[in-house]
Every structure is written in structure tokens, then in C-alpha cells.
Amino acid sequence: MKPKKEQNIVHVVSHPLVQHKLTLMRDIHCSTQNFRTLMNEIGMFLCYEVTRDLPVRHSDIVTPITPMSAPVMAGKKLVFAPILRAGLGFLEGMLQLVPSARVAHVGLYRNPETLEAVEYYFKAPSDLRDRLVIVLDPMLATGHSAIAAVDHLKKQGASDIRFACLLAAPEGLANMQACHPDVTIWTAAIDEKLNEHGYIVPGLGDAGDRMYGTK
Ligand code: URA
């Protein structure tokens, strides 16, 4: 039996390229187009880190010079689960790195008064229990959306779940810890706090609005 994890581990991806791109995104003068491009690029870096420990097996191949035994990915197949809409910003970059991955779309919006997550769409592959699910949401603010998404994915059978975000607030990390301590988290930064509207401070504003120019 697998030992039960007591605490979720949080990885901060401190690579200078990620940090540089994140700073460009935070800047209020970053255009919608650049914001989307940078989100896509950071999605690739995050994917690289989230999948760093996945198992490989050796496959016999022949190079133009000689036969050899070379590593290929093994183990569970992947599902990327973007939380709509901002999670979509990571998706294309991640699919470029892992084109065979499946996608589970999780539609949630935040009730602006209660900040609670309200689900309006869920469509996932039927074999979630056999897959590694990587939940994507750039902003881990209160954690309500992330928790609701993981709740639903677990109800559908997923048991091996990771979470990738761009920014995390201490409140969101604490709430995830309380509800889903088995879910390891990757983020580019942990910011200071949430403001009274549930936005991350200093943050970058509303990730969905900045990606799609809707404000
Ligand atoms: N969602 C966002 O897009 N931005 C925040 O700061 C918090 C939640």
C-alpha cells in the first residue's frame, strides 16, 4: 500500500527564464498578445518541471551508427485538466511537449460575492483512474476553484493528481493543503496575500481578462 502523504509539497520553479517571463506578464503594459505568448511559454517550462520525475523504460533502437538501448516515457498516460478559462493558457504549450496527452475541461467561475467556485462544465476521459492528471490554473488564489476541480476529478476516479499554476497565494496553498494534501503543486511564485476581492497581491490582475482582452 502506498504511504499516505501528510502534506502537499510545493515546488517553486525559480528558473531565471520563468522568472523573467513572469515579470513581463505582471507588468500592466504587457499586451494581450504578449501575455498569451508568455503564458504558453511558461506552460512549457512548468510541464517540463511537473513531469521531471516520470518513469522511463529502455527501448531497443538503431541509430545511424549502432544499435542502442535508449529511454522512452513509461508509466501512466497523462491528462491535462485546464480550469476554464485561464487554464487554457497553459494547455497548448503543454500539448506541444506531450502531444499524446488527453484533456479534461473543467468549467468553473468564481461567484464574485462569495468567491465560491461554481461549476458549469465538466468533460473528461473515462479512464481517469489509470492516468496522471495535471490540473492547470494560472492563479491559485483562494483555492476554491482548484479544490472543486480536484474534488470532481477524484469523484470521477482520478487518484494521481498534480497541480500547476503561475502564481499562488498563501491562502490558496493553505486551503489546498487542508482539502487535498496528496496533490503536489508547482508554481512560478508564491505572492504576498489576497486583497478583499480575492485577487492575488502583487499578482498580475485577472489572468483570463488579460489573456483574452476582455476588460
Ligand atoms: N484569478 C485571477 O485571475 N487573478 C487573481 O489575482 C486571482 C484569481
Side-chain angles (χ1 to χ4, degrees), residues 10-208:
V10 181
H11 298 276
V12 178
V13 180
S14 58
H15 192 291
L17 282 172
V18 171
Q19 295 303 314
H20 179 85
K21 287 173 191 295
L22 172 58
T23 299
L24 298 177
M25 294 179 81
R26 287 185 191 269
D27 191 324
I28 195 170
H29 300 297
C30 182
S31 71
T32 301
Q33 185 186 358
N34 283 344
F35 192 90
R36 263 203 315 273
T37 302
L38 290 161
M39 184 78 90
N40 186 61
E41 289 171 353
I42 294 185
M44 287 188 182
F45 287 115
L46 287 175
C47 182
Y48 182 80
E49 291 299 330
V50 174
T51 56
R52 178 179 281 282
D53 66 342
L54 296 189
V56 293
R57 64 180 170 78
H58 279 75
S59 172
D60 293 329
I61 60 160
V62 185
T63 79
I65 311 296
T66 182
M68 75 172 286
S69 173
V72 290
M73 301 283 287
K76 288 184 189 167
K77 301 259 169 51
L78 299 193
V79 171
F80 295 126
I83 300 179
L84 307 182
R85 45 183 181 148
L88 292 174
F90 284 155
L91 183 64
E92 283 312 312
M94 294 199 177
L95 283 174
Q96 276 179 44
L97 294 186
V98 191
S100 61
R102 300 286 168 88
V103 178
H105 289 93
V106 185
L108 291 166
Y109 71 87
R110 276 208 302 184
N111 178 319
E113 267 118 52
T114 63
L115 303 181
E116 291 300 323
V118 183
E119 186 175 302
Y120 62 89
Y121 188 76
F122 185 92
K123 187 83 179 171
S126 56
D127 56 353
L128 286 179
R129 71 183 61 250
D130 304 323
R131 291 178 176 265
L132 167 61
V133 180
I134 302 174
V135 179
L136 315 177
D137 190 358
M139 310 300 273
L140 182 62
T142 59
H144 294 162
S145 301
I147 290 163
V150 173
D151 280 344
H152 198 144
L153 288 159
K154 284 184 175 175
K155 270 193 206 124
Q156 298 295 312
S159 61
D160 195 357
I161 303 178
R162 301 179 180 199
F163 185 85
C165 61
L166 189 59
L167 294 183
E171 295 88 333
L173 291 172
N175 287 337
M176 273 294 271
Q177 162 64 37
C179 295
H180 295 296
D182 55 312
V183 175
T184 301
I185 296 169
W186 280 259
T187 182
I190 300 174
D191 273 9
E192 212 179 299
K193 60 177 182 186
L194 294 180
N195 69 13
E196 63 279 18
H197 304 294
Y199 280 93
I200 297 176
V201 179
L204 49 71
D206 187 297

